[in-house]
Amino acid sequence: MKVLVVIHRTFLAAAVCAIIGVGGMTLAHHAGKGQVKVTQLSQRDIVEKLDGKDASATVVEVTFEPGQKDSPHRHAGPVFGYVLEGEYEHAIDDEPAKTYKAGETFYEPSGCVHRVARNPSGKTRTRLLAVILHARDAKEVTLPQKEKE
């Protein structure tokens, strides 16, 4: 089992390194005071298709300050994430929230609602690396989701 985890982490790290080849710029979708900081590290067209469409992979770094949370959202395709620093509380759709620690990975299938995304610590920041696969013609890779009332 440990060998599979090492292979999984090695593969994810290699995939991210292969994708990161373009300079960084800050995404605007989380702009504003008190919002989670999202920095786009790269966006690259890939040869694989996503739902029959030409696809791209976007790599972002997400930083949560102590206790900070993000609003519910969806992504334009599947997401593979890696916790770089701190702890990350995460839940999609109706699944229970799970906390990931530095060095752990998570996955979000296409179309799910990312309803919980937060730093559970009141003292340390959290940093994530996320690879979002999406159709090349997607206008946004992160789409706000209205909260249930």
Side-chain angles (χ1 to χ4, degrees):
M1 185 69 160
K2 287 186 178 183
V3 171
L4 290 176
V5 171
V6 171
I7 290 170
H8 183 252
R9 287 183 182 162
T10 302
F11 174 77
L12 181 62
V16 169
C17 289
I19 291 170
I20 298 175
V22 181
M25 62 181 160
T26 301
L27 288 175
H29 91 268
H30 288 295
K33 186 174 180 168
Q35 295 296 315
V36 173
K37 180 182 175 188
V38 179
T39 303
Q40 181 175 315
L41 302 176
S42 75
Q43 185 172 29
R44 175 165 288 183
D45 292 345
I46 58 176
V47 297
E48 289 78 15
K49 303 271 187 196
L50 191 63
D51 295 328
K53 295 182 177 182
D54 289 335
S56 293
T58 297
V59 179
V60 296
E61 180 181 333
V62 183
T63 303
F64 293 82
E65 295 304 324
Q68 192 174 29
K69 67 179 183 175
D70 201 0
S71 56
H73 58 276
R74 294 178 188 263
H75 292 287
V79 177
F80 299 89
Y82 180 79
V83 181
L84 295 166
E85 175 184 347
E87 292 185 342
Y88 175 56
E89 188 175 1
H90 172 270
I92 54 175
D93 293 332
D94 293 328
E95 293 179 4
K98 182 175 179 184
T99 301
Y100 296 89
K101 298 180 185 312
E104 294 183 327
T105 61
F106 59 92
Y107 166 72
E108 296 177 34
S110 296
C112 65
V113 176
H114 191 171
R115 65 179 179 79
V116 175
R118 74 179 201 96
N119 177 353
S121 171
K123 296 181 180 181
T124 60
R125 74 177 181 174
T126 296
R127 289 185 321 122
L128 313 171
L129 191 63
V131 178
I132 306 163
L133 303 180
H134 56 88
R136 286 184 196 167
D137 63 356
K139 302 264 188 265
E140 298 287 333
V141 297
T142 302
L143 309 163
Q145 178 71 27
K146 289 184 180 179
E147 293 189 48
K148 291 182 180 179
E149 296 185 15

